[in-house]
Structure formats: structure tokens, C-alpha cells
Amino acid sequence: MSKGEVVLLDCWASPFCLRAKIALAEKGVEYEARAENLFGGKKVPVLLHDGKPLCESTIIVNYIDETWPSPPLLPSCAFERAKARFWSDFIDKKYATYGKARARSPAKNEFIEILKQLEGALGEKDFFGGDSFGFVDVIAIPLTCWFYAVEEFGGFKVENECPKFSAWMNKCMQRETVARILPDPEKVYEFVIMLRNMFGIE
Amino acid sequence: MAEVKLHGALLSPFVYRVIWALKLKGVPYEFVLEDLSNKSALLLKHNPVHKKIPVLVHGGKPVCESMVILEYIEETWPLNPLMPNNPYDRALARFWIKFAEDKGVAVWKMFRSTREELQNTMKEALEMLQTVEEHGLGEKKFFNGDNIGLVDLAFGSIVYWLQVIEDIVGAKLFESHKFPHLHAWIETFKQVPVIEENLPNQDELLVALKLRREQLMASA
């Protein structure tokens, strides 16, 4: 199963690192996680496979999927793969627009609108890819551990506004890998409060 | 073989990327011209999320976002591969494709800049070019090595349009002494037969973009 040495430069609070960790766990790949200081300036995650570095979480997850093909994260049909890439790109684009200043809460309406669009992509399926946990689920689920903080600051509950999305989150949390790897949302909330205090944000 | 249609607008760099990929693979397609000021119901049906072109429709099924379309074309028509054949090099190619998407916007921003904003957008575009010159291309003939690939298509549209946009906004950034590798590469790129036969005429592009810029500045 192990094809060479795998190291992940990591930071506990980063949803992008969580993507890589979940993908590696889903594939049963052993790796060494090296914790990096969030404020050290180094960009995480970085995957080192036999010393060869890769960055950008989505690219890392894609690489993990190709290098350790079982169980597959991307679907086998080219059209379904294109859909997965589209939604993964959508999530990253929205994060880039609204998620940058993580310590501030995004406007509630914009946030709900994004989740509703993702609910559209989900349709009646259990997961974004269909019956099995797959690529888009790996890309999306780590961002949800920041939702508790968003809910507290925004004064709303995702469960009430987007029940379908909330149901998908619960299904993902039932996976051993996800449940084990995602940090406690309360811990993330405390971290966000700390960031807000540091940057003097009310 | 199922029918291929490309929904696009004239002179769009994103549409050209898809045209180049289809032509390099020898895939016949029908071009469906969209009026961006009056988007067709069909376009909105195929791309309800972003409502943008290009959209590739294969056997009635739509694929959106130019670089997602390019990977789809690569996987569906494997002849004349445009991506490396090992996972690590493919990951590196995807890194540069993402870089082109994320940082290439500096060129479009430059095009839309007022006089006041131009200094900053020029700086962004210069930084992007410097990184690509040193770390992306280096001494290679193409970004993809000896043969043209998806990364070349991604940067090809950016640089070809930059050469015209520079003239229009009166900024001289893409100088050959500063970017010798990129200068050599864009000439090689333009001489690839499929590319040469499918480039927008630079004069036409200049006229069209000049007009567009005047409209943008007037409404700014």
C-alpha cells in the first residue's frame, strides 16, 4: 500500500490541510504530519512524496487519488469527473471571495446562497459524487468545521436554513476518517475568537 | 460519435483555449455564437451557475469553465495527449494551470484599469510574468516539455491577449530582455500549425479591444 515516503506539512486549523489528510486516510496511506506554525508564513498544505513537493490542496487530493487509486475519489466517467472539477472549482472560488478574512463572518445571505447552490449540486444524492463519499465531499467537508463560528457570529443555524446541506454534513461525519480528522468546531470557534482579538475585529 | 458544440463569443481568450484543444485533437465541433449582452436561454440552461462562456456541450451534456473543459477534452479524446503521463508531472501541470487562472486575471484587470489603478495592476501582471518566466517555463520549449500541452494553452491565451492589451493601455511590460524565455516560447507557440491557423487577427483584436476599453472607461 505504501509507495514511498509521504510527509504532509500541516496546520490543524487549516481546512486545506484537512482535505489532504482525509484523502490520505481514505486511501489508507501512512504519512508523517509535520505541524507548521499558522503564523510562520509557510504555506500549507505541502505534500512531499519521496521528497517531491506539491502544493495546493485540490491538486494534492487529485494527486493522491491518481497515485493510490483505491478506493477512487473521482468518478470514472469523464463527464462526471468534469462535474466534480466544476463544483470543486466553485467551492474554491467562493472561498477565495468570501472566506479570505476568516475572522470576519461573511454576509449571511451570501453564505446561505452558496450553500443553496451546493444543495442544487447534491440533488437527492447522499454525496456529491452519488452513493459514495468522493472528491467534492473531500474538498467541501473540511470547510464545514468553520460553520459553527459563522453561525455564532451570524446568529443563524445552517440546519434551519439549509437542511439538505446539513444532512449531507451529518452523513460525512458518520465516516470514521472524517469524524477522526475534523477538529472540534468549538475549538475552531475559540481559534476564530482569538484571531478576531488579535486583529482587533468586533 | 456524439455531437460536440461550443458555445462562445468572438475574440474571447477562454473560448480560444477550447478551440485550440479541440483542433489539436482533431475533434469536429459546431460553434454556437452567443451574444453576451443578450444571453440565450440555452446558454443559461447549460451554465445556470456562472452564466458564462465557453460551454462545451457533448452529446447534449454541458461542461463549463475553460480549464475544466480542457481536462474533459483531454480525457475524452486521448489521441495527441496534452498532459504528462505520470501523476506527479500532471500535478505540476495543474499547479501552473491554476496559477494561470488565479494570477492571469492581472492582465484582464489591467485592461479594465483606470489611469489611477494601472500602476497596481501592471505590478501584479509583472509579478505573474516573472514567476512564470523563472519557475514555470525555465529553459523548456513548451510548458509541457517538447510538445504543446494544456499549460501552454492556458498561458497562450493570456500572453497573446497581453501583447494587444499592453498597446491599448499604454503599458510596456512584456519586454524581451526581461522575459527572454517567455518571448521565445510565445513565438514557438504561435508557429504550431494548429495554433497559427486558429489565432484571432491581432489588428481585429486591437480594434475590438480598443472599442471595448473606451466603453468601459466611459461608464467607469
Side-chain angles (χ1 to χ4, degrees):
Chain A
M1 182 71 87
S2 123
K3 284 188 222 168
E5 192 198 40
V6 181
V7 174
L8 183 73
L9 301 188
D10 171 39
C11 170
W12 77 270
S14 158
F16 306 106
C17 296
L18 293 169
R19 288 172 173 177
K21 284 158 97 166
I22 292 172
L24 288 165
E26 286 285 321
K27 305 285 186 170
V29 175
E30 297 205 346
Y31 64 96
E32 177 200 336
R34 279 186 210 156
E36 296 286 331
N37 182 347
L38 185 70
F39 304 105
K42 257 207 193 134
K43 218 182 164 216
V44 282
V46 179
L47 185 81
L48 293 149
H49 187 197
D50 285 334
K52 297 203 285 191
L54 282 176
C55 29
E56 295 301 325
S57 60
T58 306
I59 291 169
I60 289 172
V61 171
N62 212 337
Y63 174 80
I64 290 168
D65 196 35
E66 289 188 4
T67 307
W68 294 277
S70 182
L73 290 174
L74 272 174
S76 50
C77 147
F79 182 69
E80 293 299 319
R81 291 159 80 88
K83 272 192 358 202
R85 290 191 174 115
F86 175 87
W87 286 107
S88 157
D89 176 67
F90 173 87
I91 288 166
D92 280 347
K93 276 192 166 85
K94 292 299 176 185
Y95 180 82
T97 311
Y98 298 110
K100 274 277 157 63
R102 278 201 295 257
R104 289 174 230 266
S105 24
K108 176 190 165 187
N109 290 340
E110 280 149 349
F111 182 75
I112 300 295
E113 177 54 37
I114 292 165
L115 294 191
K116 289 218 176 289
Q117 285 184 298
L118 289 172
E119 282 186 330
L122 208 46
E124 298 307 314
K125 306 189 299 271
D126 279 351
F127 298 105
F128 282 97
D131 296 328
S132 339
F133 185 76
F135 192 84
V136 181
D137 306 288
V138 174
I139 296 303
I141 196 66
L143 294 166
T144 66
C145 61
W146 287 74
F147 282 11
Y148 179 65
V150 176
E151 284 169 329
E152 287 298 299
F153 289 120
F156 65 93
K157 285 246 165 273
V158 170
E159 199 176 14
N160 297 335
E161 306 283 340
C162 304
K164 232 191 209 176
F165 193 85
S166 190
W168 164 79
M169 282 170 61
N170 291 335
K171 282 200 194 83
C172 290
M173 290 307 292
Q174 280 161 30
R175 287 188 84 69
E176 185 270 330
T177 51
V178 176
R180 176 171 36 100
I181 288 166
L182 250 49
D184 180 359
E186 295 237 12
K187 204 173 163 205
V188 174
Y189 176 52
E190 281 161 33
F191 180 69
V192 174
I193 291 187
M194 184 200 78
L195 280 180
R196 283 165 78 109
N197 289 337
M198 268 180 71
F199 294 112
I201 296 161
E202 259 321 295
Chain B
M1 194 201 63
E3 203 182 33
V4 178
K5 292 191 191 192
L6 173 61
H7 288 249
L10 296 174
L11 303 178
S12 155
F14 306 100
V15 170
Y16 268 88
R17 289 170 173 172
V18 179
I19 291 173
W20 293 332
L22 289 168
K23 295 267 184 191
L24 283 165
K25 301 275 190 175
V27 177
Y29 66 95
E30 179 195 330
F31 186 76
V32 179
L33 185 63
E34 290 286 343
D35 175 0
L36 295 181
S37 61
N38 186 20
K39 291 174 184 174
S40 72
L42 195 56
L43 175 66
L44 298 176
K45 178 178 152 221
H46 286 322
N47 193 357
V49 175
H50 297 307
K51 306 179 174 57
K52 285 179 170 177
I53 49 93
V55 177
L56 188 81
V57 185
H58 184 202
K61 298 201 283 194
V63 182
C64 310
E65 293 298 303
S66 65
M67 294 321 299
V68 174
I69 294 171
L70 258 49
E71 287 232 44
Y72 175 80
I73 291 171
E74 172 69 3
E75 290 183 357
T76 307
W77 294 279
L79 203 63
N80 296 339
L82 300 172
M83 281 285 264
N85 60 12
N86 70 77
Y88 185 74
D89 289 333
R90 270 205 295 280
L92 287 182
R94 287 188 180 116
F95 175 86
W96 287 107
I97 287 171
K98 183 172 200 297
F99 186 89
E101 290 298 85
D102 292 347
K103 305 292 181 188
V105 292
V107 173
W108 324 126
K109 274 197 218 171
M110 247 179 71
F111 178 67
R112 293 193 297 266
S113 295
T114 57
R115 294 257 154 258
E116 299 79 39
E117 293 162 343
L118 194 58
Q119 273 294 88
N120 284 337
T121 51
M122 266 180 70
K123 189 163 167 275
E124 264 188 65
L126 259 174
E127 280 167 5
M128 183 263 302
L129 290 171
Q130 266 152 11
T131 307
V132 177
E133 169 83 9
E134 278 168 59
H135 302 289
L137 184 60
E139 307 264 334
K140 295 182 295 198
K141 182 178 180 195
F142 291 105
F143 284 91
N144 198 37
D146 293 328
N147 300 304
I148 197 172
L150 293 190
V151 182
D152 299 280
L153 303 190
F155 282 110
S157 59
I158 291 171
V159 175
Y160 188 80
W161 261 253
L162 171 61
Q163 290 181 304
V164 176
I165 286 171
E166 266 194 320
D167 275 342
I168 293 173
V169 303
K172 236 346 172 190
L173 339 125
F174 187 50
E175 294 172 294
S176 55
H177 66 273
K178 281 197 188 148
F179 304 105
H181 295 141
L182 276 171
H183 263 265
W185 164 79
I186 191 71
E187 291 311 311
T188 309
F189 177 80
K190 290 193 286 194
Q191 281 162 39
V192 170
V194 163
I195 305 294
E196 194 174 31
E197 289 158 21
N198 292 284
L199 276 173
N201 177 287
Q202 259 192 341
D203 295 328
E204 270 178 41
L205 190 57
L206 185 67
V207 168
L209 288 181
K210 247 193 186 147
L211 179 62
R212 179 83 193 109
R213 178 154 166 90
E214 278 161 27
Q215 289 166 343
L216 280 169
M217 292 299 109
S219 60

